[in-house]
Amino acid sequence: MTVNREALGGETGLAGGAQAPSAGPEAPSAKKNRVRKSTPWGEIALFTGPALVVFSTFVILPVVLAGYVSFYHWDGGGDLGKFIGFENYSNVLKDSVFISSMKNNAFIVVMSLLIQGPLALGVALLMNRKLRFRAAFRTMIFVPYVVAEVIAGAMWRLILDQRGVLNTALLQLGVFDKPADAIGWLSDQKLVMWTMMFVLTWKYVGLAIILFLAGLQGVPDEVLEAAAIDGASWWQVQRRITIPLLGPTIRVWMFLSIIGSIQLFDMARLLTNNGAPFDSAYTMAMFVIDRAVRMRQYGYATAAAIVLFVISLTAALLFMRFVMRRDNEGEGGVA
Amino acid sequence: MANMRRYGVFAAVAASSALLLAACSSGGDDDKSPAASGGATGSDKAPVTITWWHNATADPALGFWQTVADEFEALNPHVTVKVEGIQNEDLQRTRIPVALQSGEAPDLFQQWGGGEMVAQVADGYLKDLTGLVDDDVARLGGSVAPWQVDGKTYGLPYQFGPEGIWYRPSLFEQAGIDGTPETLSELSDAVQKLKDAGIEPIAVGAASGWPAAHWWYNFALQSCPSDVMQAANSTLDFTDECFVTAGEKLAEFIATEPFNTGFAATSAQEGATSSAGLVANGNAAMELMGQWNVSVMTGLVDDPDALLADLSWFPFPSIDGAKGDPTAMLGGGDGFSCYVDAPDECVDLLKYITSDDVLSRFAAEVGGIPSAPAAQGAVTDPNLKVIAEYMGKSNYLQLWLDTSYGPTVGGQMNDAIIQLFAGSAAPADIPAAMIAAAESL
């Protein structure tokens, strides 16, 4: 980082000291002379070229093509058909199924933050001390995150089904008398989203814990010691020192969690059998796939995909702008 | 980054980037050019390679199609047949549409008929078989109709069968039900008796969508005169009052709670807790399903023979006082179409596959009801024999409504029916959704 800053300063012909006080007067002039030489465009092209080609072909181009297709009434076969302007978009935003799936995604975004955040923070704080078998605990907590999404979805479906493992066990314990009275973890419209939140928490809380534990390593022992000497209790230390210093890590985790929740597809599709019961666990990504592949409304589905893309992008940019601003300032301020 | 990547994957499929597809499927050219030149010169039969995609991924069907391909190669030494079995939904929803769109399609491929095929014909993807297979069309009879558009033939079916209600006679006996229900009110009585005996009456895989939708299809078929149903296949006119009546009757039936607990989240065919699994394992008494259900159910139990000894079938009950033909049946089948650029040998292979001899062996070795009436004598399964008999007596055979109306209208129809099951849509909302979807085409 330091080298970069000096390089920038050098390039604009300003003294490093004047631009960035932190660099100080000790910046060696020999270094400045070296970086003032011409920019190595050849090397830049050589190293970034392949990545740029792949990125453009498989990311930029499909996004642009999708934007193009979304203005057509395309059924997935033959030519693109009729140009209909923004009709697909206005229909998508009026589609009650899409709106309810948007609400489901919003529920998942909010609940993931509210449930997983405090839970992971608590566990991370508890585990951030000398413990017997600490490595084993960490591994166990992280295992669900490593399990493939489809496997996790299929496994929990077997457990939570109407006649699944859990209800069968409860039946044998005498909690209910007959299978028909069993709890519809996945078939009760009021319960299914909470069941999904449970499975999502099981699956993703490990990532949050590992991230927070890594963040906790960066909290300097000196500060904690100083606080302890000043007579701060464990709670006070956590609340006033550890958690504030963990801020950047928490915000990064929130960012990942929000984007992941908006995009939720594979595990939810298997767990809830494509949004059952009666679409009450339907997500926006399921809507896109279903309209395109099952109903052959490719133009319409692509418009929904663009809406999903814009929602993700807006959420990401807003979060970056307002929540993570301080975290990004390090580089942004100088450049 | 993750969002961009995943989005990119979808967009690559949705936008069907010509660039990517051309790069991915360049292999086909070499296979086809000799065929084209062979057809042009007509001399000493230049070698031809035919690619054939079907939906059988397990024996006996998988091995049977390979045997048929080998036999055809032996009869036509200049032909090489490359056979590939692909899972049904992948084949129908992804592989074939993408292959057709890319212009590098297999020569012979699975064809379900109906509205989807009409769209393929409109896009110019299918070889017009009219004039090439007239004898076969006459021999196969009425079951060819879903593979025809405006009097022209674009494919031939190898099997065709109607659906009905599969049930467990032992559970009927346990509940004190004599015989099988012939009318809706008798079905309701049977449901009540089963509930009284503590048995889940009817399993339905509503989470998969279509199994629940098929209940409405049958109510529509019993509520609507055959000529209305017949006309709707091509006009997509659903304004007749009978389409609303069908939903009203079905809503009344749903209100009696005849379906398995948690049916809204039940899948159709996957595992012991699916609707087929519930019936196969004796946890529910009945299921409305097509002729393939025997093979699905036997795959979900440890002892298929015990199941087969206690599994029977009856046609969908008629509705008292309704306008439909009581013998009308809903069904569907499987066939194959040739790609528009396929060599003539593709048609020869299709004719061979649908010959009486091959289909007789198909009936005996694979199971299912062959499309050729002459081959139906080879059916061995007792339930399939009964089904074939009822099909012979039926005055009107209607293709699955979602297949017939095509994916867009069919998809909206199925979703609206699911909402009726959920209690969040009125009977009139179903034809309304279908009419709106038909107008958007």
Side-chain angles (χ1 to χ4, degrees):
Chain A
M1 276 310 148
T2 329
V3 176
N4 268 338
R5 284 181 198 175
E6 283 169 14
L8 281 166
E11 220 171 33
T12 50
L14 294 167
Q19 176 93 9
S22 65
E26 76 274 12
S29 55
K31 214 178 196 176
K32 234 187 275 175
N33 289 341
R34 188 170 55 77
V35 294
R36 196 170 286 188
K37 283 179 194 164
S38 63
T39 317
W41 289 113
E43 280 172 44
I44 293 175
L46 183 70
F47 288 115
T48 59
L52 278 178
V53 168
V54 170
F55 189 73
S56 314
T57 311
F58 292 100
V59 179
I60 308 284
L61 181 68
V63 171
V64 172
L65 275 174
Y68 180 66
V69 168
S70 68
F71 293 116
Y72 288 87
H73 186 84
W74 189 43
D75 67 354
D79 55 28
L80 283 177
K82 214 167 48 194
F83 178 84
I84 52 169
F86 284 92
E87 199 183 305
N88 281 332
Y89 288 92
S90 59
N91 287 341
V92 161
L93 296 174
K94 276 186 291 190
D95 192 320
S96 61
V97 180
F98 189 73
I99 290 167
S100 80
S101 59
M102 257 195 317
K103 285 181 188 159
N104 285 339
N105 278 105
F107 177 86
I108 295 164
V109 168
V110 173
M111 285 300 153
S112 291
L113 295 178
L114 290 183
I115 297 172
Q116 290 173 31
L119 185 66
L121 197 57
V123 175
L125 290 176
L126 284 176
M127 282 180 65
N128 188 38
R129 55 174 76 179
K130 295 266 180 298
L131 276 177
R132 234 179 220 263
F133 310 120
R134 188 161 74 161
F137 282 134
R138 286 189 181 183
T139 310
M140 272 165 54
I141 285 173
F142 203 56
V143 161
Y145 184 73
V146 179
V147 173
E149 297 223 336
V150 284
I151 294 175
M155 181 184 83
W156 279 105
R157 179 164 186 84
L158 287 176
I159 295 171
L160 296 169
D161 209 279
Q162 189 72 29
R163 288 172 184 267
V165 176
L166 179 61
N167 276 345
T168 308
L170 292 175
L171 184 71
Q172 280 170 359
L173 289 171
V175 181
F176 359 90
D177 302 329
K178 54 181 194 290
D181 298 337
I183 299 168
W185 305 107
L186 293 171
S187 58
D188 185 329
Q189 285 176 268
K190 295 192 185 78
L191 204 55
V192 64
M193 285 304 284
W194 292 104
T195 308
M196 185 139 93
M197 280 321 304
F198 168 79
V199 177
L200 284 174
T201 305
W202 171 87
K203 180 93 173 69
Y204 292 107
V205 80
L207 175 72
I209 292 172
I210 293 290
L211 281 176
F212 293 170
L213 279 172
L216 287 170
Q217 308 294 316
V219 176
D221 289 340
E222 296 82 7
V223 184
L224 300 177
E225 253 173 59
I229 291 167
D230 287 344
S233 72
W234 188 83
W235 278 112
Q236 282 172 319
V237 171
Q238 306 307 330
R239 208 166 78 80
R240 304 276 179 198
I241 298 171
T242 316
I243 293 176
L245 284 174
L246 202 55
T249 314
I250 295 177
R251 289 191 284 272
V252 166
W253 165 76
M254 285 170 76
F255 181 72
L256 294 175
S257 175
I258 291 171
I259 297 300
S261 303
I262 293 175
Q263 310 258 324
L264 181 66
F265 175 67
D266 25 13
M267 196 187 68
R269 185 176 173 111
L270 263 101
L271 177 71
T272 68
N273 226 325
N274 205 25
F278 307 131
D279 292 349
S280 35
Y282 215 52
T283 67
M284 288 189 284
M286 291 182 199
F287 181 91
V288 170
I289 296 289
D290 261 5
R291 297 295 136 154
V293 177
R294 185 165 66 89
M295 298 199 194
R296 295 278 161 81
Q297 296 175 306
Y298 278 84
Y300 189 61
T302 312
I306 295 282
V307 172
L308 174 55
F309 172 67
V310 169
I311 290 173
S312 293
L313 193 69
T314 312
L317 291 178
L318 286 178
F319 197 80
M320 284 281 189
R321 175 74 181 78
F322 292 107
V323 182
M324 294 178 73
R325 188 176 45 186
R326 275 186 302 164
D327 305 324
N328 295 335
E329 249 168 16
E331 298 123 67
V334 177
Chain B
M1 192 60 203
N3 60 327
M4 297 288 280
R5 193 183 65 231
R6 196 173 298 183
Y7 179 77
V9 170
F10 165 71
V13 175
S16 189
S17 156
L19 180 76
L20 299 181
L21 291 174
C24 295
S25 58
S26 56
D29 280 54
D30 308 328
D31 298 338
K32 281 205 194 94
S33 40
S37 62
T41 58
S43 68
D44 229 26
K45 305 224 172 158
V48 175
T49 301
I50 296 175
T51 48
W52 174 16
W53 287 2
H54 60 69
N55 71 348
T57 50
D59 281 332
L62 181 64
F64 182 76
W65 290 136
Q66 186 59 55
T67 312
V68 171
D70 295 344
E71 289 168 3
F72 186 74
E73 284 178 349
L75 292 169
N76 302 274
H78 68 295
V79 179
T80 310
V81 183
K82 282 205 266 181
V83 196
E84 198 181 338
I86 301 162
Q87 194 277 332
N88 188 65
E89 272 70 27
D90 285 345
L91 185 63
Q92 183 174 17
R93 305 288 180 220
T94 316
R95 294 290 300 273
I96 289 176
V98 170
L100 291 175
Q101 179 70 11
S102 73
E104 293 292 341
D107 299 305
L108 185 67
F109 55 90
Q110 194 84 22
Q111 181 60 264
W112 295 263
E116 202 158 85
M117 196 186 77
V118 172
Q120 290 176 2
V121 170
D123 291 330
Y125 291 145
L126 301 185
K127 201 183 190 75
D128 183 357
L129 307 177
T130 319
L132 302 171
V133 295
D134 289 349
D135 298 347
D136 305 272
V137 170
R139 184 172 51 81
L140 296 173
S143 65
V144 181
W147 285 265
Q148 292 175 319
V149 181
D150 297 334
K152 291 180 177 173
T153 307
Y154 293 94
L156 292 177
Y158 59 89
Q159 67 171 346
F160 195 92
E163 70 178 351
I165 295 179
W166 297 86
Y167 73 105
R168 301 295 298 267
S170 62
L171 295 179
F172 268 40
E173 201 177 312
Q174 206 178 313
I177 302 165
D178 300 322
T180 53
E182 287 178 5
T183 64
L184 184 60
S185 50
E186 287 177 30
L187 182 65
S188 294
D189 289 346
V191 164
Q192 191 54 49
K193 282 180 181 166
L194 286 160
K195 281 166 90 171
D196 292 344
I199 300 165
E200 304 236 48
I202 302 170
V204 61
S208 303
W210 57 267
H214 277 224
W215 277 91
W216 186 86
Y217 300 174
N218 278 289
F219 273 78
L221 192 60
Q222 295 298 332
S223 304
C224 295
S226 299
D227 56 327
V228 172
M229 294 304 291
Q230 174 98 54
N233 287 326
S234 51
T235 61
L236 298 182
D237 176 2
F238 311 111
T239 49
D240 197 290
E241 191 58 28
C242 68
F243 289 104
V244 179
T245 316
E248 287 166 358
K249 295 271 182 197
L250 177 58
E252 281 170 26
F253 184 65
I254 294 169
T256 66
E257 299 187 353
F259 299 113
N260 59 297
T261 319
F263 70 90
T266 302
S267 62
Q269 299 174 345
E270 294 106 39
T273 59
S274 65
S275 57
L278 290 174
V279 177
N281 290 294
N283 291 322
M286 293 180 262
E287 187 190 18
L288 172 66
M289 197 49 71
Q291 48 156 326
W292 60 81
N293 216 20
V294 185
S295 59
V296 174
M297 283 188 181
T298 49
L300 295 172
V301 292
D302 297 331
D303 185 357
D305 291 332
L307 171 65
L308 288 173
D310 183 20
L311 182 67
S312 199
W313 186 93
F314 61 90
F316 196 86
S318 60
I319 300 175
D320 309 299
K323 289 183 200 153
D325 183 332
T327 70
M329 292 179 107
L330 192 72
D334 293 291
F336 295 111
S337 282
C338 285
Y339 183 56
V340 63
D341 291 339
D344 294 341
E345 281 81 356
C346 175
V347 183
D348 297 338
L349 176 57
L350 180 56
K351 286 163 77 83
Y352 183 68
I353 291 167
T354 53
S355 65
D356 288 348
D357 167 51
V358 170
L359 289 185
S360 296
R361 285 184 287 141
F362 173 83
E365 291 171 30
V366 182
I369 300 170
S371 54
Q376 283 170 6
V379 173
T380 51
D381 183 274
N383 287 318
L384 294 182
K385 276 185 178 172
V386 173
I387 296 173
E389 204 178 298
Y390 274 104
M391 185 166 69
K393 284 187 286 191
S394 171
N395 293 331
Y396 179 68
L397 214 50
Q398 165 67 44
L399 184 66
W400 314 127
L401 299 187
D402 50 356
T403 310
S404 179
Y405 303 156
T408 305
V409 176
Q412 295 289 357
M413 169 177 68
N414 287 2
D415 283 5
I417 296 168
I418 291 294
Q419 292 307 322
L420 181 80
F421 272 77
S424 49
D429 294 345
I430 297 169
M434 293 159 71
I435 291 164
E439 278 168 2
S440 80
L441 289 176

